[in-house]
Amino acid sequence: MIDYHRLMAWEFTETVHHYRAEDTMLYALALGVGRDPVDSRQLRFVEDSGEGRLQALPTMAVVLGFPGSWMADSGTGIDFAQTVHGEEAVEWHAVLPPQGCVRSSHRVLSVVDKGPGRGALIRYEKRLIDADSGQHYATVVHTSFARADGGFATPAVPGDAPGPTPTPVPEGEPETTIDLPTLPQQALLYRLLADRNPLHSDPVVAWQAGYPQPILHGLCTWGMAGHALLAHYGQADPRRMRSLYARFSAPVIPGETLRLESWRRDGAVRFRMRAVERDRTVLDHGLARIDT
């Protein structure tokens, strides 16, 4: 069972991550960037033949400085096998270089008890900082839904209050629709970046979890949305990406076509993503802030 005070005080080891141009290109390729091999706005993220040509996708911040599967530690009290990714939010403070060395620090922000049989929400933060200059590149907030861990709260230790409910996307037809095919082997590519959970690669593990085959990483879907939004609204210029948030609502089967639907509202972009073949929303309540 979750011990609220112990989890809030969880100590993380600072992570130092050296990454190369090859890692930057692999990240973009794992999102499907480069599908059009003559599109210069895609090639800037996957081709480095010219001096200063290669750029890093802003969303790569989620795989740099990865703290590992810390929730699998029995000391957390979390049933890790019953834990899924709930939400991801990133705010960028500076442009990521295409290669370099970063360090990351982590802390638990909140633990919300949704009640017995209803699970718990665990939010933790990662600050991504240049190891040499101290430049703060990004702040990442990751929310996990621990499905089996509700009911830990007591009158003396009630846990944290739930945060505000994200704003839903507008009703009606989207202003912009972009179809993004995924590759049958896309999860096998994306797992090379950080997350080696066998749910994304081992058919037996996927079947045991109730899926017909290994599923795509949620952060791959999230990254695909981020790239498509930046290309459409920000001319694929990493300097224009300010923040990106989305809630994960259903898994993606590699090989499916994803349809990004978006609306420009109040200086921001609202969006969702659907799996076309199943007519199922896989990302929802999306909010992106992109300079135009």
Side-chain angles (χ1 to χ4, degrees):
M1 179 178 289
I2 287 176
D3 180 322
Y4 171 79
H5 290 301
R6 183 174 188 180
L7 199 54
M8 288 296 295
W10 194 262
E11 293 188 5
F12 294 84
T13 301
E14 184 178 73
T15 301
V16 178
H17 190 156
H18 296 266
Y19 67 99
R20 306 166 301 158
E22 288 81 1
D23 301 312
T24 296
M25 291 184 283
L26 176 61
Y27 175 77
L29 289 168
L31 298 186
V33 180
R35 186 174 291 109
D36 183 346
V38 296
D39 181 353
S40 61
R41 297 199 308 177
Q42 293 189 45
L43 289 175
R44 68 182 60 169
F45 301 113
V46 295
E47 206 277 320
D48 65 343
S49 63
E51 182 69 27
R53 182 171 185 172
L54 182 65
Q55 294 179 292
L57 277 169
T59 52
M60 191 170 68
V62 299
V63 299
L64 296 176
F66 181 59
S69 299
W70 65 274
M71 291 186 189
D73 189 314
S74 61
T76 65
I78 297 169
D79 185 345
F80 184 65
Q82 295 296 318
T83 300
V84 296
H85 199 163
E87 303 172 358
E88 191 80 3
V90 179
E91 180 180 1
W92 286 273
H93 313 289
V95 175
L96 284 170
Q99 57 188 348
C101 180
V102 293
R103 55 186 176 86
S104 60
S105 60
H106 307 81
R107 62 179 179 131
V108 176
L109 297 176
S110 64
V111 184
V112 177
D113 188 348
K114 295 174 66 67
R118 298 178 60 198
L121 296 175
I122 302 152
R123 294 172 63 244
Y124 70 94
E125 174 191 85
K126 175 178 75 177
R127 288 167 49 88
L128 198 63
I129 297 168
D130 189 278
D132 297 320
S133 69
Q135 171 69 58
H136 185 187
Y137 289 126
T139 301
V140 180
V141 176
H142 179 112
T143 302
S144 289
F145 177 34
R147 296 179 292 180
D149 294 303
F152 68 84
T154 66
V157 186
D160 295 302
T165 302
T167 303
V169 298
E171 296 182 0
E173 291 297 313
E175 296 172 359
T176 301
T177 299
I178 302 171
D179 281 358
L180 303 167
T182 65
L183 299 170
Q185 70 271 33
Q186 196 151 346
L188 298 175
L189 283 171
Y190 194 87
R191 72 186 296 269
L192 301 177
L193 300 165
D195 186 353
R196 298 296 182 95
N197 186 332
L199 181 63
H200 306 294
S201 59
D202 188 330
V204 174
V205 172
W207 294 333
Q208 291 172 342
Y211 299 111
Q213 67 179 77
I215 60 175
L216 191 61
H217 303 71
L219 283 178
C220 183
T221 307
W222 184 91
M224 291 177 67
H227 170 250
L229 291 166
L230 182 63
H232 183 77
Y233 291 100
Q235 300 180 16
D237 184 347
R239 296 171 298 180
R240 300 189 179 200
M241 183 70 91
R242 298 302 178 198
S243 64
L244 183 67
Y245 163 85
R247 174 179 286 183
F248 301 96
S249 52
V252 172
I253 303 300
E256 291 183 316
T257 299
L258 302 179
R259 178 165 293 160
L260 179 67
E261 301 173 337
S262 62
W263 298 256
R264 170 69 78 173
R265 292 288 190 276
D266 302 321
V269 179
R270 301 283 179 181
F271 70 93
R272 69 183 171 211
M273 186 173 272
R274 302 177 65 81
V276 173
E277 291 83 356
R278 289 179 290 133
D279 192 26
R280 185 77 181 274
T281 299
V282 296
L283 287 182
D284 209 354
H285 296 81
L287 175 64
R289 299 194 183 279
I290 302 169
D291 293 340
T292 57

